[in-house]
Amino acid sequence: MTDSPTSAAVSTAVRTAVVTGASSGIGAATARTLAGLGFHVVCAARRTDRVEALAAEIGGTAVTCDVTDADSVAALAAVVGERLDVLVNNAGGAYGSTPVAQADADEWRRMYDVNVIGLVQVTRALLPALLRAEDGAGVICNVGSTAGRIAYEGGGGYTAAKHGTQVVTETLRLELWDQPVRVCEVAPGMVRTDEFALVRFDGDAEKAASVYAGVAEPLVAEDVADAIGWMVTRPRHVNIDELVIRPRAQAAQHKVHRVLD
Ligand code: 8X3
């Protein structure tokens, strides 16, 4: 079992949001954006020092949470308590880039575990609280990817997992059709963050940098956070089913405008 939560139950006096994977990148940026929009943000991630620093910065609550661990998710739900307005299922990631013929089964399992099972576990645990959101305006925003819309060479394990994220999102929306909660997905394309590509290429900085080579302006985490902030603050009858967001330089997954020396 992973570490237990680091803060006591949050107050329900203000609108509350949970962001998973809040220790860096899109998750951390989304936590900041939602705090700026007036939410009390529960910042959940595995790295305690990071979520504590972030929560201190934005006046939120830090919870040490591994979304793939059921006990850890139950502890997150205990901190959230009775009511929740917004859940951003952001925890996810890509591990490895081998072709299908050389697939590492452990890497593929890890990707399915965090991008699909983790998201499902957190959603299941927090759904009762979301159904009690202020004014029936609860909303779940799953962070998918353009990798959940297309296939590309060397991306098989990640694209399969992110297609899973997309299909789980759609299924959940169908299943909750008569409930006072919305189910959305944001699907970003090329976003330059400190860790995504580095983790994917197992710490190989050169390989990670090559993803963005010659692209003057890839998206940054704040661009996606801005989109999520908009999606989750629409009037309660408005469900943004999916929002695909790419940099201008990426017309499609393989069609990227690069200016190389
Ligand atoms: C990340 C987008 O292009 O690396 O979710 O698959 S991509």
Side-chain angles (χ1 to χ4, degrees):
M1 178 175 158
T2 51
D3 297 343
S4 56
T6 51
S7 305
V10 298
S11 152
T12 53
V14 290
R15 285 180 307 158
T16 302
V18 167
V19 180
T20 66
S23 54
S24 69
I26 292 170
T30 300
R32 290 191 178 96
T33 294
L34 295 182
L37 290 168
F39 288 91
H40 180 94
V41 183
V42 177
C43 308
R46 286 174 303 173
R47 289 176 287 184
T48 304
D49 53 337
R50 292 211 177 198
V51 283
E52 283 186 342
L54 178 62
E57 176 194 322
I58 64 175
T61 298
V63 177
T64 306
C65 179
D66 176 350
V67 299
T68 67
D69 180 281
D71 292 337
S72 188
V73 171
L76 169 64
V79 171
V80 169
E82 287 297 298
R83 205 197 81 197
L84 177 65
D85 299 284
V86 172
L87 167 60
V88 180
N89 277 312
N90 165 72
Y95 311 115
S97 56
T98 45
V100 175
Q102 281 91 49
D104 178 326
D106 287 337
E107 278 178 351
W108 281 51
R109 271 191 210 100
R110 259 177 90 200
M111 286 189 272
Y112 194 78
D113 213 16
V114 67
N115 292 292
V116 182
I117 307 284
L119 175 149
V120 169
Q121 289 196 139
V122 172
T123 302
R124 193 177 53 198
L126 299 185
L127 188 56
L130 283 157
L131 292 172
R132 290 187 211 104
E134 181 84 4
D135 296 330
V139 53
I140 299 166
C141 182
N142 292 334
V143 180
S145 171
T146 52
R149 303 292 188 284
I150 201 163
Y152 57 86
E153 307 90 324
Y158 182 61
T159 54
K162 283 300 191 188
H163 276 78
T165 303
Q166 191 220 353
V167 172
V168 166
T169 305
E170 283 188 33
T171 306
L172 187 65
R173 190 162 52 243
L174 292 168
E175 292 171 352
L176 297 176
W177 67 282
D178 59 350
Q179 300 296 310
V181 65
R182 291 164 289 164
V183 184
C184 314
E185 183 198 4
V186 63
M190 181 186 282
V191 186
R192 183 173 205 146
T193 61
D194 292 341
E195 295 187 334
F196 178 81
L198 208 54
V199 170
R200 177 176 224 167
F201 298 120
D202 202 19
D204 186 330
E206 207 174 312
K207 244 179 163 179
S210 72
V211 172
Y212 314 102
V215 180
E217 291 179 302
L219 294 182
V220 292
E222 288 71 20
D223 296 317
V224 183
D226 183 45
I228 294 171
W230 178 79
M231 292 169 79
V232 303
T233 53
R234 294 311 83 213
R236 68 178 179 197
H237 66 288
V238 178
N239 193 104
I240 308 298
D241 287 13
E242 56 180 13
L243 192 156
V244 176
I245 175 171
R246 301 178 191 271
R248 189 180 62 201
Q250 188 185 34
Q253 205 77 10
H254 285 80
K255 194 170 176 68
V256 179
H257 178 61
R258 299 179 192 270
V259 180
L260 300 166
D261 300 332

